[in-house]
Amino acid sequence: MKLIDKVILAGLLAVSATTVTAVTPVYLNDDAPIEERVSDALARMTDEEKVALLHAYGKFASSGVPRLGIPQLMMSDGPHGVRAEINWNDWKYAGWTCDSVTAFPALTALAATWNPELSALYGKSVGEEARYRGKDVLLGPGVNIYRTPLNGRNFEYMGEDPCLASVMVVPYIQELQKNGVAACVKHFALNNQEQWRGEIDVKVSDRALYEIYLPAFKAAVERGGAWSIMGAYNKYDGEHACHNHRLLVDILRGEWGFDGAVITDWGGAHDTDQAALNGLDIEMGSYTNGLTSESKFGYEDYFLADPYLKKLRDGSLPDSTLNAKAANVLRLIFRTSMNRHKPFGSLASPEHYAAAKAIGDEAIVLLKNNGVLPLDTTRNLNILVVGENATRNLNEGGGSSDLKVKDMFTPLASLSARFGNVKYAQGYISGRPRYGKEDLIPQSTLDSLRAEAVALAREADVVIYIGGLNKNGFQDCESTDRREYNLPWGQDRLITELAEANPNIIVANISGNAYAMPWIDSVPAVLQSWYLGTMTGESMADVITGKVNPSGHLPFSFPMKLDDLRAHAAGELSYPGVADAEGKNPRQEYIDDIFVGYRSLEKDSIKPLMPFGHGLSYTTFEFGRPSLSSSTLREGQTVTLALPISNTGRQAGAEVVQVYVADNHSSVPRPVKELKAFSKVYLEPGQTKIVHIDIDPSMLAYFDESTHSWKIEPGRFDLLIGSSSADVRASLPLEYR
């Protein structure tokens, strides 16, 4: 052997020997307990490396520890589809050709399915797309409560009821995170409007906080096991939510035992000391508005960057804060970007299109039907489709929910495929999707489009109107609230005149919010659709033609008018809030307290336009006589409610059995009734099933502010069983002892 070969061989043997005998650091071992990995990594890191974990170093990235082989975290909007790639240091799109995705239905639509199994499918599917795109944290789902129909981001949330939102969010998170992608549940907490969102100081009672606004977040943490939480923009009790001691330290970690990372909303941090001491872990987007503006400052200027490191070095802030934050971020990294057991993922696959379609099918709500629906595809009908939303790409705009879709099935295209003989009239025009701005449409233009549509309606057999809201500023859009409860761009007049021209009109509006319906008595059928994503047209066409039997139920109430809700009737202090004499320091008080949505309407004996939980079908269902396994409930026990339900019609379909609890003898004000459980049941024609629902003591409790605990007063409660908050079919007494 030549000398050079001997030298090379000796070197290889030396390297091999070193590799075999070296002890692999615990933090690199996926099979080691995660807390051992965190402790091992922390012990090897410098203070500078720990601080680097705590703030952005790109628009949607936070740093890892390159020296130790610990990778960065890559984040992405949003909850109903992975957003197109953004440039590293500005808000412009990168222009990639490989980032087109499946647009899944918005979360309001998911809530309208009342089907936890579809929530699991949703989380699994969007998680696979995020994993394929190399994302470690998906910024969603959102579970803020629907307090007012004017909130521009209601379409991103899961409705007005904490029980519905709590049940639906858990399987989404669990299945999403099986892909090694963290859910970042948002916006914690009390981000219930967009007006003044970055500065408004919200005052709310502890009872309303715990009964209405926190339960879905608690479920996300305790039952869903969420790995990260996004702080909200607004203030609560004088402190910004992204570094709010009560929310993040006392409640999130202290009461709920959260072990993940708290991430700011983009631009949500405002102070180094508060960020250090009040529970924040990762700071993103500072010195921007979190949506469009840029910053003159670098990432090292962030509150948890050099300013924080300086205070640590001079003793102004304790080292314990740094180690706690770094540990939380490392835990998130080990669960996601450093998880070698996660699957590969997939993008815009047939399976994902099928999932989006299945969710959309069950999300559409049949609000009214005097027999015109479903339409028979075998008849040679002269159909006129009217409305901008029949052709508009509704995945564009809306703020952080903006999506770049691979395919988009519009309602007009899908209906044309079903019927062939379809004419189209735009009817109105809304302008371009822009944040915080809107195009002013000349009245003459609206008049001309309306006249054209009405003239064509006179000659049609059936008119299908597909309007509603869209993702423009001051509609269903981040950063702005709606200006009015009525439909914009003259749609109410348009629908009224269409109905006068042709009584066979189906209104199939798309929105993420409730709206007024001054024309409701003039139209025979109303379908409430939502932002259904890629498969919007396919789901709508199949419901309209009866291939799919509608089974969606409303996740929020439609009031007749805004002032029917206590949130609005209480005046400006309640919504949108009031500012000081200089127009600054806005503040707000939730005067409506626990009386949100149907709780408000029922307490004041006000009939809604459309009640919470409402949804019709093309078939009919009969509720049998319910029974309880015991008429008495005690602490630590459960009783089982059994309800026979039958499909008495001619078409297979699904009904949602809703169970409400009424406490008519409470010593404190309580709602007339509150949703506490539900079950979606699928039945063939003539089929009967027995639905079983467990009732436990927590369903009877209210939050007692004097003891800061949940309290149940012994006595009689009533279990009310029905298909909406306004359609109670049966009741059972239940004694709590």
Side-chain angles (χ1 to χ4, degrees):
M1 182 181 292
K2 296 181 180 179
L3 179 60
I4 185 64
D5 294 329
K6 291 181 179 179
V7 171
I8 292 173
L9 178 60
L12 290 173
L13 290 173
V15 170
S16 176
T18 301
T19 302
V20 171
T21 59
V23 177
T24 301
V26 174
Y27 73 86
L28 291 176
N29 183 0
D30 277 1
D31 297 321
I34 197 165
E35 294 310 313
E36 290 185 15
R37 298 180 68 193
V38 169
S39 297
D40 182 48
L42 279 177
R44 300 171 186 270
M45 293 168 60
T46 65
D47 284 354
E48 290 80 3
E49 288 171 331
K50 294 174 184 176
V51 168
L53 291 176
L54 311 183
H55 60 84
Y57 86 122
K59 276 286 188 242
F60 285 89
S62 62
S63 181
V65 189
R67 180 179 63 87
L68 298 179
I70 297 175
Q72 63 200 10
L73 287 169
M74 299 299 296
M75 309 177 194
S76 177
D77 296 318
H80 48 271
V82 187
R83 193 176 181 185
E85 212 63 31
I86 303 290
N87 285 337
W88 192 261
N89 282 320
D90 63 48
W91 287 108
K92 296 178 182 178
Y93 283 111
W96 288 12
T97 59
C98 57
D99 56 350
S100 297
V101 298
T102 307
F104 295 93
L107 294 187
T108 303
L110 175 62
T113 70
W114 291 62
N115 186 343
E117 292 182 3
L118 286 181
S119 183
L121 177 63
Y122 195 127
K124 174 181 183 294
S125 302
V126 74
E128 288 170 348
E129 300 224 344
R131 172 69 190 99
Y132 186 91
R133 289 273 306 279
K135 306 304 179 185
D136 306 303
V137 180
L138 190 67
L139 304 176
V143 292
N144 293 98
I145 290 296
Y146 186 114
R147 180 175 181 253
T148 165
L150 299 187
N151 180 12
R153 297 190 85 171
N154 276 336
F155 72 95
E156 296 187 44
Y157 303 141
M158 295 190 181
E160 72 183 29
D161 186 82
C163 172
L164 176 62
S166 297
V167 171
M168 294 299 289
V169 74
V170 169
Y172 178 112
I173 294 169
Q174 291 172 336
E175 292 301 315
L176 167 68
Q177 293 186 164
K178 287 179 181 178
N179 289 281
V181 177
C184 187
V185 184
K186 62 185 188 182
H187 304 88
F188 189 66
L190 301 168
N191 186 178
N192 304 113
Q193 66 188 62
E194 289 299 283
Q195 184 168 341
W196 284 327
R197 69 176 184 173
E199 52 191 333
I200 195 162
D201 191 0
V202 178
K203 180 180 180 181
V204 62
S205 72
D206 266 11
R207 187 175 172 201
L209 186 69
Y210 278 82
E211 289 190 19
I212 304 296
Y213 298 103
L214 292 186
F217 288 103
K218 182 180 181 183
V221 171
E222 293 187 341
R223 304 205 315 264
W227 291 339
S228 63
I229 293 285
M230 180 186 288
Y233 279 124
N234 52 278
K235 294 179 181 178
Y236 161 63
D237 199 23
E239 289 183 341
H240 278 95
C242 282
H243 34 65
N244 186 292
H245 196 278
R246 175 90 195 282
L247 291 176
L248 302 181
V249 179
D250 295 342
I251 296 174
L252 182 63
R253 296 200 188 276
E255 295 181 16
W256 301 346
F258 178 65
D259 71 350
V262 174
I263 304 173
T264 66
D265 206 336
W266 270 231
H270 300 272
D271 180 86
T272 295
D273 286 2
Q274 290 185 28
L277 298 172
N278 293 350
L280 178 62
D281 298 312
I282 301 178
E283 175 188 359
M284 302 296 294
S286 289
Y287 307 110
T288 78
N289 67 7
L291 186 63
T292 58
S293 71
E294 301 301 337
S295 171
K296 296 179 181 178
F297 297 93
Y299 299 114
E300 299 303 323
D301 297 311
Y302 277 24
F303 297 103
L304 285 182
D306 286 350
Y308 181 37
L309 187 60
K310 181 178 182 297
K311 285 177 174 283
L312 289 168
R313 286 171 172 167
D314 67 19
S316 301
L317 290 169
D319 289 340
S320 59
T321 63
L322 175 60
N323 288 325
K325 293 177 191 302
N328 293 332
V329 179
L330 286 170
R331 196 175 295 114
L332 180 59
I333 290 173
F334 293 151
R335 286 167 167 166
T336 59
S337 64
M338 213 167 169
N339 176 2
R340 292 180 297 176
H341 301 299
K342 57 191 174 187
F344 290 109
S346 55
L347 189 69
S349 66
E351 292 80 8
H352 294 169
Y353 282 21
K357 174 70 163 52
I359 296 162
D361 287 352
E362 293 198 23
I364 295 172
V365 184
L366 180 60
L367 297 179
K368 178 180 179 180
N369 187 22
N370 289 347
V372 66
L373 285 173
L375 294 182
D376 187 350
T377 57
T378 64
R379 294 175 58 193
N380 187 26
L381 294 172
N382 178 15
I383 293 176
L384 173 67
V385 174
V386 179
E388 189 183 67
N389 282 352
T391 61
R392 186 178 178 118
N393 183 354
L394 292 167
N395 300 301
E396 295 178 348
S400 59
S401 68
D402 183 271
L403 289 174
K404 178 182 176 182
V405 296
K406 181 176 180 291
D407 295 294
M408 179 66 192
F409 295 88
T410 68
L412 180 60
S414 296
L415 287 167
S416 297
R418 304 300 191 278
F419 291 100
N421 186 24
V422 174
K423 294 181 180 179
Y424 173 67
Q426 186 170 335
Y428 69 92
I429 186 171
S430 65
R432 296 166 291 171
R434 294 194 289 174
Y435 314 134
K437 299 179 182 179
E438 57 187 335
D439 295 329
L440 298 178
I441 309 301
Q443 186 61 45
S444 59
T445 301
L446 294 175
D447 291 343
S448 176
L449 291 171
R450 184 180 67 254
E452 177 192 24
V454 171
L456 289 172
R458 295 190 181 98
E459 301 175 0
D461 295 322
V462 178
V463 176
I464 303 174
Y465 183 81
I466 305 176
L469 305 177
N470 60 32
K471 303 289 189 66
N472 287 12
F474 303 100
Q475 298 302 316
D476 286 326
C477 185
E478 179 182 359
S479 81
T480 54
D481 280 352
R482 296 166 64 195
R483 290 197 175 105
E484 60 179 343
Y485 187 46
N486 285 76
L487 291 175
W489 310 299
Q491 290 182 80
D492 289 332
R493 180 179 175 184
L494 172 59
I495 295 171
T496 299
E497 293 188 11
L498 287 170
E500 291 172 350
N502 191 326
N504 293 321
I505 179 173
I506 300 160
V507 176
N509 282 335
I510 296 173
S511 77
N513 256 309
Y515 47 86
M517 299 183 186
W519 33 262
I520 185 65
D521 293 334
S522 302
V523 301
V526 180
L527 282 168
Q528 171 58 29
S529 188
W530 317 93
Y531 302 112
L532 300 181
T534 291
M535 304 300 287
T536 295
E538 293 297 283
S539 288
M540 290 184 70
D542 280 352
V543 167
I544 288 171
T545 60
K547 183 177 180 181
V548 169
N549 191 347
S551 63
H553 286 247
L554 290 178
F556 49 76
S557 310
F558 278 57
M560 291 283 190
K561 59 184 187 301
L562 286 178
D563 283 349
D564 286 350
L565 297 173
R566 289 191 177 190
H568 287 272
E572 288 188 358
L573 179 60
S574 177
Y575 177 86
V578 296
D580 60 23
E582 297 179 353
K584 299 179 180 179
N585 303 311
R587 58 188 176 85
Q588 180 178 38
E589 184 173 348
Y590 283 12
I591 300 172
D592 49 333
D593 200 57
I594 63 169
F595 297 103
V596 176
Y598 70 91
R599 291 169 169 81
S600 169
L601 295 165
E602 293 183 345
K603 195 68 173 179
D604 296 330
S605 301
I606 297 175
K607 183 180 179 180
L609 174 63
M610 296 291 169
F612 171 78
H614 174 63
L616 302 176
S617 173
Y618 295 150
T619 191
T620 54
F621 300 97
E622 182 178 296
F623 286 37
R625 179 174 293 180
S627 62
L628 284 171
S629 59
S630 172
S631 61
T632 302
L633 181 62
R634 292 180 172 84
E635 184 178 356
Q637 296 180 336
T638 61
V639 298
T640 300
L641 168 69
L643 174 75
I645 181 169
S646 303
N647 183 345
T648 56
R650 299 179 179 180
Q651 187 170 345
E655 177 63 296
V656 177
V657 176
Q658 302 168 35
V659 180
Y660 296 81
V661 170
D663 181 0
N664 298 316
H665 308 286
S666 176
S667 63
V668 299
R670 298 198 70 171
V672 174
K673 60 179 175 291
E674 298 177 90
L675 181 74
K676 292 299 179 180
F678 60 89
S679 178
K680 194 163 194 177
V681 189
Y682 296 85
L683 296 165
E684 295 294 326
Q687 185 180 15
T688 297
K689 289 183 180 179
I690 308 295
V691 178
H692 295 93
I693 296 176
D694 289 335
I695 308 297
D696 66 71
S698 69
M699 297 178 180
L700 313 180
Y702 70 88
F703 189 80
D704 184 359
E705 294 181 328
S706 65
T707 61
H708 193 75
S709 63
W710 292 91
K711 183 176 181 179
I712 309 173
E713 295 177 330
R716 171 176 166 163
F717 295 80
D718 290 306
L719 303 181
L720 309 177
I721 304 108
S723 65
S724 82
S725 61
D727 185 9
V728 174
R729 309 283 183 89
S731 66
L732 288 171
L734 177 64
E735 191 79 14
Y736 181 78
R737 297 177 181 174

